[in-house]
Amino acid sequence: MVVSHFMSKAIPCFHILVWPIWGVLKEERNSIKMDQEQVEMVGRMFVDRYYQLFDNDRASVSLFYQPNSMLNFEGQKILGVDNISSKLNQLPFEKCRHDISTVDSQPSSTSTGSIVVFVSGSLQLVGEEHSLRFNQMFHLVPIGQESFFVQNDIFRLNYG
């Protein structure tokens, strides 16, 4: 089943952006399993939505995180949704455009259904002539059986 939309779901004390994946997850003996095609689909759907929001409504990106989420941004370790939100919203540019080159997704744990997503691409800042190459890794952890949040996020620019 191809899922083409996202929806909001309330979690105590905060909201996160989630997407339904009915028909994607398979329940087997108390564990969640996805085949590689399903893992790739969830990873791609997440990446498309994440960068669309980052480029157009950066404040909303924080809704993908939870209080125990961690971001490593150019070597700086940032813990918690409030600190991650603050970091992303204080970046020294207002608008940008991400051009994604590759998205690689793998199951991280067959018992929990978590997924690791590795992204490479370029970042074009408004008013800048040259784009910046970057890599970003996300560890997506399921909430229930219908949504994910970003547990870990590692971002690096590629210099040279």
Side-chain angles (χ1 to χ4, degrees):
M1 173 180 187
V2 176
V3 182
S4 61
H5 67 279
F6 294 75
M7 58 189 289
S8 293
K9 180 183 251 185
I11 301 294
C13 301
F14 60 93
H15 296 277
I16 61 170
L17 289 181
V18 297
W19 57 98
I21 51 174
W22 304 290
V24 173
L25 299 180
K26 298 176 184 175
E27 187 88 30
E28 290 188 16
R29 293 189 185 159
N30 298 322
S31 68
I32 299 170
K33 292 196 170 201
M34 288 188 275
D35 64 29
Q36 188 58 38
E37 183 178 320
Q38 294 163 330
V39 168
E40 294 286 339
M41 181 182 70
V42 170
R44 188 65 204 199
M45 289 170 51
F46 167 77
V47 165
D48 290 346
R49 184 66 173 152
Y50 182 91
Y51 292 113
Q52 185 269 330
L53 284 175
F54 192 102
D55 293 352
N56 297 294
D57 184 16
R58 192 177 318 158
S60 294
V61 170
S62 66
L63 300 173
F64 282 114
Y65 300 91
Q66 289 197 354
N68 64 344
S69 296
M70 179 176 270
L71 166 66
N72 282 14
F73 189 88
E74 289 292 302
Q76 179 185 9
K77 291 178 178 22
I78 303 159
L79 179 63
V81 66
D82 293 336
N83 294 328
I84 292 169
S85 178
S86 179
K87 175 63 178 180
L88 296 178
N89 288 308
Q90 291 176 3
L91 291 173
F93 55 89
E94 287 186 37
K95 289 285 189 177
C96 65
R97 185 185 78 239
H98 287 85
D99 293 314
I100 306 306
S101 301
T102 62
V103 176
D104 296 302
S105 301
Q106 295 180 351
S108 173
S109 169
T110 56
S111 63
T112 64
S114 60
I115 299 171
V116 174
V117 180
F118 184 77
V119 180
S120 64
S122 60
L123 174 64
Q124 184 67 50
L125 303 178
V126 172
E128 294 292 325
E129 182 180 343
H130 300 287
S131 61
L132 303 167
R133 299 285 306 155
F134 76 93
N135 291 109
Q136 193 161 10
M137 186 282 307
F138 299 96
H139 179 215
L140 306 179
V141 174
I143 299 173
Q145 294 181 12
E146 297 179 359
S147 61
F148 291 84
F149 74 95
V150 177
Q151 176 65 57
N152 304 92
D153 178 354
I154 301 173
F155 176 87
R156 282 284 183 174
L157 290 172
N158 300 328
Y159 298 102

